[in-house]
Amino acid sequence: MLNEALQRNAKHEARLSNISGCDLSAVRESQRFLDFAWNDRTGWPFTENLYNLPMPESKPLVAIIMGSKSDWDTMRNAVETLDGLGVPNEARVLSAHRTPDATAEFARGAADRGLRVIIAGAGGAAHLAGVIAAYTWLPVLGVPIQSKLQGLDSLLSTAQMPGGIPVGTLAIGEAGAKNAALLAAAILATSDDTLRQKLEAFRRKQSEAVLSAKLPK
């Protein structure tokens, strides 16, 4: 349909160009619109068939949740690490204390939406990972965020869970966020050979960087 419109418009312009003094601006404007539509056909109404089916979107396998927007500087390390390994992920802000209903709703529906691991980062009275773990059977990895107490309050709030509701707690700060992503990828890699190979390549590159380091003389 769109291709036929392009051809008709081109023929119309060719005919009008033979008429002396004819204003072709409207036709050319139409041609620019059709060219744009042809180059961006996602928004153009067309009938799907075997040759133009839309590419399926990758559903996120890992969710990165943080207690507030200010935690992004830390938790972005988890997102960037997962992106580097090609693991589909999503990130959002939820608070165990300020949005308890939304947090519970997210956790209850996480598995049904296709998520397989949840990473939760929070600081201070860091109950986010524990609250999420209480509402889902999925593995939850906690990242303590730096705080006025050097993150020790965050670490203890995340790690000291009662028996029966586990939270895998990582290091405080950026290293914890990065390692949470690597641990999430390792969990997924137990049933994904392609991801396992990417993790192994990451480890090899990391080792090579250490072995090739040159010290100043």
Side-chain angles (χ1 to χ4, degrees), residues 36-47:
F36 172 80
W38 178 254
N39 291 325
D40 184 21
R41 293 185 292 280
T42 56
W44 188 271
F46 60 90
T47 302

Side-chain angles (χ1 to χ4, degrees), residues 32-140:
R32 280 194 292 272
F33 168 76
L34 289 169
D35 286 340
F36 172 80
W38 178 254
N39 291 325
D40 184 21
R41 293 185 292 280
T42 56
W44 188 271
F46 60 90
T47 302
E48 292 182 357
N49 56 50
L50 181 62
Y51 303 102
N52 64 13
L53 287 173
M55 293 293 289
E57 294 184 3
S58 297
K59 291 184 178 181
L61 298 177
V62 180
I64 300 96
I65 310 300
M66 59 210 77
S68 67
K69 185 179 178 181
S70 62
D71 297 334
W72 173 245
D73 286 342
T74 297
M75 299 308 293
R76 69 187 300 168
N77 292 276
V79 174
E80 291 168 359
T81 300
L82 290 170
D83 286 346
L85 293 170
V87 177
N89 62 85
E90 64 180 25
R92 62 181 298 187
V93 175
L94 286 171
S95 171
H97 306 121
R98 290 165 292 184
T99 61
D101 292 339
T103 301
E105 181 181 2
F106 162 80
R108 287 193 185 103
D112 289 340
R113 290 201 300 113
L115 291 170
R116 290 298 171 259
V117 184
I118 299 173
I119 299 172
H127 299 144
L128 182 60
V131 168
I132 290 175
Y135 286 105
T136 181
W137 56 265
L138 293 175
V140 177

